[in-house]
Amino acid sequence: MAIQSCLIFVFFWLCILCVESKYMVYNTSAGLAPGKINVHLVAHTHDDVGWLKTVDQYYVGSNNSIQGACVQNVLDSIVPALLANKNRKFIYAFFQRWWRDQSEEVQNIVKQLVSSSQLELINGGMCMHDEAAPHYIDMIDQTTLGHRFIKEEFNVTPRIGWQIDPFGHSAVQAYLLGAEVGFDSLFFARIDYQDRAKRKNEKTLEVVWRASKSLGSSAQIFAGAFPENYEPPSNFYYEVNDDSPIVQDDMNLFDYNVPQRVNEFVSAAISQANITRTNHIMWTMGTDFKYQYAHTWFRQMDKFIHYVNQDGRVNALYSTPSIYTDAKYAANESWPLKTEDYFPYADRVNAYWTGYFTSRPALKGYVRTMSAYYLAARQLEFFKGKSKAGPNTDYLGDALALAQHHDAVSGTEKQHVAYDYAKRLSIGYVETEEVVATSLACLTETTSKSGCGNPCPLLNISYCPSSEVDLSSGKNLVVVVYNPLGWKREDVIRIPVINVNVTVKDSGGKQIESQILPLLNASISLRNYYSKAYLGKSSTVTPKYWLAFTASVPPLGFNTYIISSAKQAAFSSKKTVYKSEIGQNDKVLVGPGNLKLLYSANEGKIIQYINGGSSVNKLVEQSYSYYPGDDGSVDSQASGAYIFRPNGSYPIKSDGQASFTVLHGPLLDEVHQRINLWIYQVTRVYKGKQHAEVEFTVGPIPVDDGIGKEVATQITSNIKNNKIFYTDSSGRDFIERIRDYRKDWDLEVNQPVAGNYYPINLGMYMKDNSTELSVLVDRSVGGSSIVDGQLELMLHRRLLHDDGRGVDEALNETVCVQNKCTGLTILGKYYLRIDPLGEGAKWRRTFGQEIYSPLLLAFAEQDGDTWANSHVATFSGMDPSYVLPDNVAMITLQELDNGKVLLRLAHLFEIGEDKDLSVMSSVELKKVFPNKQINKVTETSLSANQERAEMEKKRLVWKVEGSSGEESKVVRGGPVDPTTLVVELAPMEIRTFVINFHL
């Protein structure tokens, strides 16, 4: 039988060889066809810079037991596939690493492919950033890095926003990272399943998105949501191992199927055309990590274009999103208007992707901390002069850009990938720390050569070796406090110290008020455990105290404070311990200034907020609860890294009798509360501040009962907000939210908690006809108003089941020390303030900027009293008589590699948000740079890759349904006069400049 089978096999191939061969040339030159449905075949691959594997593993194709994916293979394969047929096209979103590995010959070929538009570089950032968890400054920075790279290497500016995988879409993405970077259109895939169904029925998947109330039509963009996802229609997948039917067009072979495949193509095209306006539809031909062998895709698309166009019922062509956008624009259609955003996102019933707003809160906090450090470090790097040979801030910038990816700061990656992102940030921090140290040393030194550095990245866990020096032997501790904001600033500095008898002097040698607070056991335990976890060793010194003092720091500058031993202690906080007793009616008033918090000793919690300065007196309570994470046993939908699926809600009550400790002092009062064994809280009220600071420690969340838990805090008042509350968009605009309601469709409520959660980057607030209550946060979290009068923040999540969205891993973060692992503990802060109606915006905006850009501390030791004689004690990068207006922030000051300077100024207020500050403002560049002579100021797009004037000339003006074409003119800042050099900024306007200085 074996011999017979062999003979039959040989005979078969001999017969095939007898057939006359004929090389088939496919006609793929089709362009647009008027009067027909035009099917734009957009060949693409979606390559995550980390998700199931690390970015390096994805690039080189290692660790394939997790996922068979190699980005190197994709790009190596695309180039020859495009060269084989000049009509083929491909789009790609980021490829800097591959580019730098190529020979000059390959680079020249790729440049030609880009120049001929066969290869279109879209989006153009260093990653496809998330739109819920990143802050808008980080989104701008990472996009700028990518856009400037593309401009330098290819002399092109990306036209298309391609946010196809983020899990919901922000208003900031549309108007800032879309229109303001010069994009002509923005495409995405993930919108709520109820919203998608309505839009398909009404042909409103494609819209004009006017996302900013303040900038209106001047920052609108054409935007399209795909009919299903960012993949091809069903049965049109062509990776080597995909099982879609190929086009078998050799009639001498079995299974000839051209008519069937053409019919299926036409049917799918007509189906999509029925839900799409105009005669142009887009097919996204590709998905995650496809085109590792590009020829398998292009061979089939060549055939489809050839045979479909021979059939003639529809027209198929190789296309790109740019070609598609131009075709839509040429149709002269009027488009539906979309405002606000596309949050929250659910892909089916009971599946709201609102858990990731909080997932991996430690990573989210680390990203935010590093972002602030990067902003300040670039300023200091500019003041000193950027070093080409020595350490610089570039590595941290690259690591932060990577961390904005939609499976990075979002918290939706595997654990080993989260470690990789954190490691990269840590490496970047170490190098940037050198930049900060050398810059401050340079700026402070006159005759001395002693350094000034050693910041404390673990200060949040009371660990700062630089401040924990023994001063009893006569040494002085020098604290240099740098202010990265453009306003003069006063803040209370808190550092751990080992000596209780200390004094603090300012840069003029004057003793200033200070306060000693005990470092309580809860803080010491956290410090000891986590410092060992992070550093691999135990601390040799354990401080017993916090030293607090008020620092006054000039804008874009520093001030110096000297801490030395004294004969007696600074003011020691008065400590009182309260324990609840039945029938006890004691009330405890906390706060050294106008703001007072009233506590019930019996209940062990805050009951009233009293501000003598603003005459606010409100009942307020604060509590904790947890949501048991659904295990998916009912309908296979568990709560996980992406999905928030609560199974009930339970208040977290004190273990045993409630007790709390109050520390009173002249600068601040603290209230320490042990809520239970795994939640500890410190509330601080500072003299001269009109808000309360709440520092929470949550964890390890217990899961011994087999139930994952999602921990939230509630601030409850008697404000009658009638279901309405407000959350920020990526740290920028505030958007009105209404519980159980969507403005774009009639919401069918199936998850009354998860479906009302929104991403919080800056904060949230609610109001009634007399009062507004605001909460600001120190990192991105999820939040809501589940009942009237209450704001809720989710602080931490520990879950035991995967939610079925691809990560295939439970969100169960642990920390291990000496082979013993415990659940991750989170330490974070939020800030609370109550204002008369209409007066909260100033605090939210200005203090929100202070939260994002905290004072930067650096330390040095000095023998004797010689620092003032040998160093510059105070410095401001701006004119000593000048500060930025209260409504303007400098969000970028960076020396570029060519010696030019990148400057961004942002108006912080929306139109109508504040009666005094929602107005046109101006900045005098001559006073911002008093020690330099400005040669030329060029205004650019937001991402600094083209001149603003040229961008505006190219901008497509889209028609909007129901519009008369006479929308009220949006007021923006005018051109910068080269003589006066004054920059105007209208509400919510961000202006970007490249500045040349005279050498």
Side-chain angles (χ1 to χ4, degrees):
M1 289 297 292
I3 294 173
Q4 184 179 1
S5 297
C6 183
L7 288 173
I8 292 172
F9 181 77
V10 171
F11 177 74
F12 171 77
W13 281 106
L14 285 173
C15 289
I16 292 296
L17 292 172
C18 292
V19 177
E20 180 181 356
S21 65
K22 182 179 180 181
Y23 178 72
M24 182 67 185
V25 177
Y26 298 103
N27 182 3
T28 59
S29 62
L32 301 175
K36 288 186 177 181
I37 296 172
N38 288 274
V39 185
H40 295 250
L41 300 182
V42 176
H44 81 106
T45 181
H46 177 65
D47 297 344
D48 293 299
V49 290
W51 178 38
L52 308 183
K53 306 198 295 188
T54 69
V55 60
D56 287 352
Q57 291 169 349
Y58 272 135
Y59 178 67
V60 301
S62 61
N63 206 0
N64 282 338
S65 61
I66 293 178
Q67 186 181 17
C70 177
V71 172
Q72 214 170 8
N73 287 350
V74 172
L75 290 163
D76 285 347
S77 178
I78 286 297
V79 173
L82 293 178
L83 290 174
N85 183 341
K86 67 178 182 180
N87 297 316
R88 293 173 174 174
K89 299 183 186 299
F90 194 77
I91 62 171
Y92 204 74
F94 34 81
F95 77 151
Q96 189 179 92
R97 181 176 304 195
W98 177 85
W99 174 256
R100 288 172 175 165
D101 284 348
Q102 304 311 301
S103 66
E104 185 178 353
E105 179 184 9
V106 172
Q107 287 186 345
N108 288 334
I109 290 171
V110 173
K111 284 181 179 180
Q112 182 56 42
L113 291 172
V114 172
S115 177
S116 67
S117 299
Q118 270 193 273
L119 177 61
E120 180 174 353
L121 301 174
I122 58 170
N123 230 27
M126 297 290 284
C127 70
M128 186 181 294
H129 55 230
D130 183 47
E131 298 182 37
H135 193 275
Y136 76 93
I137 294 177
D138 289 327
M139 297 163 80
I140 293 170
D141 283 345
Q142 82 87 13
T143 303
T144 299
L145 279 174
H147 280 197
R148 289 185 62 81
F149 164 77
I150 291 171
K151 183 68 174 179
E152 290 165 6
E153 294 292 344
F154 301 98
N155 195 32
V156 298
T157 55
R159 291 184 58 197
I160 306 298
W162 192 251
Q163 289 289 110
I164 61 174
D165 200 24
F167 327 122
H169 304 283
S170 74
V172 157
Q173 179 63 39
Y175 84 88
L176 265 188
L177 281 304
E180 292 293 283
V181 301
F183 288 163
D184 288 323
S185 59
L186 169 64
F187 296 100
F188 43 86
R190 299 188 186 275
I191 65 173
D192 189 278
Y193 73 99
Q194 295 181 38
D195 190 14
R196 190 191 304 274
K198 181 173 185 285
R199 291 183 181 280
K200 288 167 72 171
N201 187 52
E202 298 178 350
K203 291 190 174 184
T204 57
L205 286 168
E206 294 174 325
V207 298
V208 170
W209 192 354
R210 190 176 295 169
S212 170
K213 298 188 294 288
S214 301
L215 300 180
S217 60
S218 73
Q220 68 188 23
I221 191 169
F222 179 77
F226 300 143
E228 298 300 334
N229 48 43
Y230 54 83
E231 302 187 4
S234 178
N235 261 356
F236 291 89
Y237 292 75
Y238 291 109
E239 201 70 12
V240 171
N241 57 347
D242 285 335
D243 57 5
S244 295
I246 65 167
V247 179
Q248 205 296 84
D249 59 344
D250 190 337
M251 299 184 70
N252 296 306
L253 303 179
F254 292 158
D255 301 323
Y256 176 81
N257 67 353
V258 171
Q260 295 96 314
R261 288 267 66 197
V262 168
N263 283 338
E264 290 169 4
F265 187 102
V266 172
S267 176
I270 293 173
S271 177
Q272 186 168 333
N274 286 336
I275 60 171
T276 309
R277 300 190 184 198
T278 79
N279 61 328
H280 297 277
I281 63 173
M282 183 197 300
W283 281 13
T284 47
M285 299 300 292
T287 183
D288 296 8
F289 300 100
K290 300 301 184 182
Y291 290 81
Q292 294 189 63
Y293 181 51
H295 195 59
T296 62
W297 284 87
F298 282 113
R299 179 192 288 130
Q300 300 306 315
M301 286 189 288
D302 285 352
K303 292 181 180 184
F304 274 118
I305 292 171
H306 179 84
Y307 291 115
V308 166
N309 291 344
Q310 275 188 349
D311 174 85
R313 285 175 286 173
V314 301
N315 181 62
L317 68 152
Y318 278 122
S319 188
T320 66
S322 288
I323 295 172
Y324 180 79
T325 298
D326 290 339
K328 289 285 184 176
Y329 185 71
N332 202 29
E333 178 85 7
S334 290
W335 300 94
L337 182 66
K338 164 69 181 173
T339 59
E340 301 182 349
D341 62 9
Y342 288 90
F343 284 118
Y345 162 61
D347 59 351
R348 58 177 181 254
V349 175
N350 297 325
Y352 277 94
W353 298 45
T354 54
Y356 83 97
F357 300 160
T358 300
S359 295
R360 301 195 188 279
L363 179 62
K364 284 177 164 67
Y366 193 33
V367 169
R368 182 63 58 85
T369 299
M370 290 299 99
S371 175
Y373 196 70
Y374 179 55
L375 184 149
R378 282 180 291 168
Q379 294 175 357
L380 290 167
E381 188 174 45
F382 161 72
F383 291 132
K384 174 184 173 292
K386 188 171 185 177
S387 172
K388 294 182 179 179
N392 57 50
T393 59
D394 293 349
Y395 192 103
L396 181 57
D398 288 344
L400 271 168
L402 203 65
Q404 308 313 315
H405 170 56
H406 60 269
D407 283 309
V409 68
S410 59
T412 54
E413 66 275 34
K414 281 186 177 290
Q415 185 64 59
H416 77 106
V417 180
Y419 289 149
D420 186 72
Y421 290 128
K423 180 179 180 179
R424 293 171 188 277
L425 290 170
S426 178
I427 293 170
Y429 171 80
V430 169
E431 182 174 347
T432 302
E433 187 180 25
E434 291 186 58
V435 175
V436 169
T438 56
S439 297
L440 286 174
C442 177
L443 293 170
T444 59
E445 283 179 7
T446 52
T447 59
S448 170
K449 294 300 178 186
S450 60
C452 182
N454 304 316
C456 294
L458 299 181
L459 189 58
N460 64 319
I461 58 168
S462 317
Y463 182 83
C464 183
S466 299
S467 70
E468 297 163 15
V469 295
D470 187 355
L471 303 179
S472 60
S473 61
K475 280 187 176 182
N476 290 332
L477 176 66
V478 180
V479 184
V480 178
V481 184
Y482 178 74
N483 173 20
L485 295 182
W487 317 310
K488 183 181 178 181
R489 189 167 171 185
E490 285 195 357
D491 263 340
V492 173
I493 304 297
R494 295 168 57 254
I495 55 175
V497 294
I498 62 174
N499 302 101
V500 67
N501 294 334
V502 294
T503 185
V504 182
K505 294 181 180 179
D506 64 15
S507 56
K510 179 182 176 183
Q511 183 173 334
I512 63 173
E513 190 173 41
S514 58
Q515 180 179 342
I516 288 287
L517 300 96
L519 193 60
L520 300 184
N521 290 337
S523 297
I524 294 174
S525 298
L526 196 70
R527 165 200 165 94
N528 291 344
Y529 185 80
Y530 275 88
S531 62
K532 188 169 184 178
Y534 292 144
L535 304 174
K537 59 182 180 182
S538 299
S539 173
T540 56
V541 176
T542 299
K544 297 180 180 179
Y545 313 99
W546 285 103
L547 171 66
F549 62 92
T550 300
S552 178
V553 196
L556 292 187
F558 63 78
N559 217 337
T560 308
Y561 295 87
I562 309 297
I563 301 171
S564 54
S565 61
K567 293 181 180 178
Q568 62 182 26
F571 183 93
S572 293
S573 304
K574 180 183 177 184
K575 178 180 176 181
T576 309
V577 178
Y578 296 88
K579 293 187 177 181
S580 64
E581 296 177 4
I582 297 175
Q584 179 178 255
N585 293 313
D586 289 354
K587 300 291 190 294
V588 182
L589 204 59
V590 175
N594 281 333
L595 177 62
K596 306 290 184 184
L597 301 182
L598 186 64
Y599 281 78
S600 164
N602 182 45
E603 298 178 275
K605 63 182 182 182
I606 183 175
I607 57 174
Q608 200 163 357
Y609 179 106
I610 307 165
N611 190 331
S614 62
S615 300
V616 167
N617 190 324
K618 276 287 180 181
L619 299 176
V620 63
E621 293 184 1
Q622 187 253 344
S623 57
Y624 289 90
S625 66
Y626 74 89
Y627 296 101
D630 197 292
D631 62 6
S633 58
V634 175
D635 60 1
S636 300
Q637 184 53 70
S639 204
Y642 300 91
I643 307 296
F644 177 28
R645 178 80 188 279
N647 188 6
S649 176
Y650 297 89
I652 296 175
K653 298 180 179 179
S654 299
D655 296 335
Q657 290 194 331
S659 67
F660 63 99
T661 300
V662 178
L663 303 174
H664 290 285
L667 297 180
L668 74 153
D669 285 359
E670 287 188 344
V671 180
H672 291 249
Q673 296 171 272
R674 167 65 69 185
I675 308 300
N676 65 6
L677 290 176
W678 46 280
I679 299 181
Y680 189 83
Q681 176 176 299
V682 182
T683 304
R684 299 186 181 96
V685 182
Y686 294 92
K687 178 182 177 182
K689 302 290 185 181
Q690 307 303 310
H691 65 267
E693 173 188 292
V694 179
E695 181 180 272
F696 56 87
T697 303
V698 179
I701 298 174
V703 291
D704 297 343
D705 55 2
I707 299 173
K709 298 172 183 66
E710 312 184 49
V711 180
T713 188
Q714 295 81 28
I715 299 95
T716 305
S717 72
N718 55 2
I719 290 176
K720 297 176 176 61
N721 62 311
N722 193 28
K723 295 187 176 183
I724 299 172
F725 60 106
Y726 301 82
T727 68
D728 70 273
S729 175
S730 306
R732 198 84 179 125
D733 309 63
F734 277 94
I735 297 178
E736 182 184 79
R737 312 298 189 184
I738 303 176
R739 191 182 324 121
D740 295 336
Y741 176 80
R742 302 290 188 269
K743 292 182 179 179
D744 291 340
W745 77 95
D746 293 330
L747 176 66
E748 181 182 332
V749 178
N750 52 64
Q751 284 291 312
V753 176
N756 285 301
Y757 254 68
Y758 291 88
I760 313 293
N761 259 280
L762 169 59
M764 61 191 304
Y765 69 96
M766 62 182 173
K767 61 184 181 180
D768 59 17
N769 58 8
S770 65
T771 312
E772 50 190 90
L773 186 154
S774 307
V775 175
L776 302 183
V777 297
D778 69 344
R779 71 197 70 192
S780 58
V781 298
S784 186
S785 175
I786 302 301
V787 298
D788 278 356
Q790 185 181 90
L791 296 180
E792 174 171 304
L793 298 174
M794 185 178 289
L795 306 178
H796 195 4
R797 314 177 75 220
R798 188 182 184 190
L799 298 163
L800 303 180
H801 299 274
D802 177 64
D803 54 16
R805 294 307 184 275
V807 77
D808 197 27
E809 187 176 278
L811 184 68
N812 184 9
E813 296 182 278
T814 59
V815 175
C816 302
V817 176
Q818 294 179 337
N819 298 319
K820 180 184 178 182
C821 299
T822 60
L824 177 68
T825 296
I826 291 300
L827 189 150
K829 295 177 183 177
Y830 67 86
Y831 307 84
L832 167 68
R833 176 161 163 156
I834 304 177
D835 287 284
L837 182 65
E839 297 182 18
K842 181 174 183 179
W843 177 73
R844 289 191 293 269
R845 295 299 185 179
T846 55
F847 187 68
Q849 208 64 29
E850 293 183 16
I851 296 171
Y852 180 82
S853 290
L855 294 172
L856 186 152
L857 306 182
F859 302 88
E861 294 179 34
Q862 184 78 12
D863 292 322
D865 215 6
T866 61
W867 184 270
N869 298 324
S870 59
H871 291 76
V872 175
T874 186
F875 162 84
S876 176
M878 301 202 306
D879 187 295
S881 65
Y882 188 69
V883 297
L884 291 185
D886 289 343
N887 52 9
V888 174
M890 182 184 294
I891 62 173
T892 308
L893 177 59
Q894 176 181 3
E895 183 177 334
L896 303 173
D897 290 336
N898 56 13
K900 298 178 182 180
V901 171
L902 180 64
L903 173 71
R904 276 195 195 89
L905 299 168
H907 198 299
L908 297 175
F909 287 77
E910 296 180 68
I911 190 168
E913 189 175 16
D914 184 272
K915 59 183 175 59
D916 299 317
L917 296 171
S918 294
V919 296
M920 185 74 73
S921 196
S922 60
V923 173
E924 300 178 50
L925 295 184
K926 289 181 180 179
K927 292 184 178 179
V928 172
F929 302 104
N931 301 316
K932 293 182 178 289
Q933 187 176 356
I934 296 173
N935 180 34
K936 184 180 180 183
V937 176
T938 304
E939 185 168 10
T940 69
S941 64
L942 185 69
S943 57
N945 66 343
Q946 57 186 314
E947 291 192 17
R948 176 88 195 191
E950 289 301 310
M951 182 189 83
E952 293 295 346
K953 285 180 185 177
K954 297 183 293 183
R955 190 185 294 279
L956 302 181
V957 181
W958 298 85
K959 294 168 67 175
V960 176
E961 275 185 351
S963 170
S964 64
E966 299 180 359
E967 289 93 349
S968 58
K969 183 174 175 59
V970 177
V971 177
R972 284 184 178 252
V976 177
D977 185 283
T979 303
T980 60
L981 295 175
V982 174
V983 176
E984 295 177 331
L985 293 112
M988 277 289 107
E989 189 173 21
I990 298 178
R991 300 185 71 177
T992 305
F993 303 94
V994 173
I995 301 178
N996 296 59
F997 294 104
H998 287 290
L999 299 177

